[in-house]
Amino acid sequence: MAKSVPSSLNMLIKTVRGIPLLTDDEFNRLITRWIDHHDQEARNRIVEANLRLVIKIASGYASSCPVPLEDLIQAGTTGLMRAVDDFDPTFGTKISTYATNWIRNAIQKEILHNWHITISVSKNDAYRKILKWSSELTNQLQREPTIDELVEVTGFKPAKVRELMKMPLMTELASLDKQVTDEGDPLGNLLSDGSDAVKKMDTLVETKKTHEMLERYLTKLTPREENVLRLYYGFDDGQKRGLREVGLLMGITQERTRQIRDTGARKIYKLDQQNGGCLEQQ
């Protein structure tokens, strides 16, 4: 069932859509007023004109994490403000391009913060343990483990296992056989191809010449696939992350993160083959 959208959020989105975008000349005048004179009105106008970008990025995360969209938009707006404060026209890039990294980073921090505060200190170690064994058993059994199987490996009582399984991240754990790609193929049948594609990606991301082309391919993926690959390979901030950390940021399990990463890498490899294998020629 789709999440209901609060009326206040609908009003915000409607208001933002009504804010006119800036022309290059308007932006240049406004950013000069902000940099040279700290004109708050000019700063506010730049921020308002770029709120569409915040909503677009936040919406991409909202479908895959338990944090309310309003909170993600608020965090993203804070990131946008910091981007405007830090922007310098000599960077030679558009404010939307520059701000994207700031917005994503702010949203990711909000997601991680929210995940930490939803888990009490007393439950944290138990939660980590159940998450670890759920992921490992899913890999071994090629299906979701039963409560009894988790009780056996963790030593927890059935009631505690059931309680932990209802917490964030655990609710999205799914077996390979139930996950289907948008091309209609069982994901389990694609894992070997995905693994090969990931190995190729590991090599390609180390080459600066391929980054621009990889960025174009990333936009062809689903928002969730794009976000996972951006976080995993550190496209935006140069900081590579492990599957577990990416899963925490995205609000999904480590195993689900691996599945999405492999599917996204496979799609990029397929797109490149359709484009004549340009990446491998670099």
Side-chain angles (χ1 to χ4, degrees):
M1 181 180 295
K3 296 179 181 178
S4 60
V5 180
S7 58
S8 58
L9 180 57
N10 274 326
M11 289 181 62
L12 171 63
I13 294 174
K14 185 177 180 180
T15 299
V16 169
R17 286 175 177 169
I19 299 173
L21 299 175
L22 298 174
T23 64
D24 290 342
D25 288 341
E26 288 173 331
F27 172 75
N28 289 334
R29 288 196 297 270
L30 290 170
I31 197 65
T32 298
R33 283 167 53 187
W34 169 242
I35 293 174
D36 293 347
H37 308 292
H38 288 279
D39 186 328
Q40 193 66 42
E41 183 179 348
R43 177 180 183 261
N44 291 344
R45 179 70 184 91
I46 295 172
V47 171
E48 290 173 353
N50 285 277
L51 286 176
R52 284 183 179 86
L53 178 62
V54 173
I55 293 175
K56 178 182 178 181
I57 295 174
S59 297
Y61 284 95
S63 61
S64 58
C65 80
V67 183
L69 179 56
E70 303 99 303
D71 293 347
L72 298 181
I73 291 174
Q74 183 176 354
T77 302
T78 300
L80 172 60
M81 291 177 178
R82 292 191 61 186
V84 173
D85 292 345
D86 194 64
F87 186 78
D88 188 325
T90 62
F91 289 161
T93 186
K94 289 183 175 294
I95 182 62
S96 57
T97 302
Y98 182 72
T100 294
N101 294 341
W102 288 87
I103 295 168
R104 281 201 178 103
N105 288 339
I107 289 174
Q108 290 163 11
K109 288 179 181 178
E110 175 66 20
I111 292 171
L112 188 57
H113 173 70
N114 183 276
W115 182 80
H116 278 303
I117 64 176
T118 58
I119 302 174
S120 66
V121 175
S122 62
K123 290 182 179 178
N124 195 45
D125 289 341
Y127 183 74
R128 289 176 183 275
K129 186 174 183 179
I130 202 76
L131 182 64
K132 170 181 176 291
W133 278 108
S134 292
S135 179
E136 290 189 10
L137 287 177
T138 299
N139 283 333
Q140 293 172 17
L141 304 172
Q142 296 293 288
R143 60 170 173 77
E144 292 183 67
T146 64
I147 297 296
D148 289 341
E149 287 168 341
L150 287 170
V151 167
E152 182 177 354
V153 296
T154 62
F156 297 151
K157 293 181 179 179
K160 184 170 185 178
V161 171
R162 291 190 183 92
E163 178 187 4
L164 292 168
M165 291 294 287
K166 293 178 181 178
M167 297 178 72
L169 301 189
M170 297 308 308
T171 55
E172 287 208 19
L173 188 61
S175 67
L176 294 177
D177 292 337
K178 292 181 182 178
Q179 295 301 329
V180 179
T181 68
D182 56 7
E183 293 147 329
D185 299 322
L187 193 58
N189 296 336
L190 302 177
L191 288 183
S192 58
D193 290 341
S195 179
D196 291 341
V198 168
K199 291 177 182 177
K200 290 182 173 65
M201 282 282 290
D202 289 340
T203 302
L204 292 171
V205 294
E206 299 295 335
T207 307
K208 291 184 178 179
K209 291 182 180 179
T210 63
H211 267 228
E212 184 176 346
M213 191 170 295
L214 284 171
E215 284 281 356
R216 290 203 298 269
Y217 288 152
L218 283 171
T219 63
K220 306 293 185 182
L221 306 179
T222 66
R224 179 180 283 193
E225 290 163 354
E226 179 183 357
N227 289 337
V228 165
L229 289 179
R230 284 189 178 281
L231 290 169
Y232 183 77
Y233 289 109
F235 277 100
D236 297 327
D237 56 11
Q239 178 184 348
K240 291 186 178 181
R241 297 170 175 85
L243 291 172
R244 174 174 167 74
E245 184 179 359
V246 174
L248 294 180
L249 290 170
M250 293 289 295
I252 54 179
T253 63
Q254 180 174 322
E255 173 59 22
R256 187 72 184 107
T257 303
R258 183 187 66 77
Q259 294 172 11
I260 296 170
R261 180 204 63 182
D262 288 0
T263 302
R266 178 178 173 274
K267 285 185 179 180
I268 286 181
Y269 179 71
K270 184 176 180 179
L271 285 168
D272 189 55
Q273 292 301 302
Q274 294 172 348
N275 199 32
C278 298
L279 286 173
E280 295 182 343
Q281 297 173 18
Q282 298 296 321

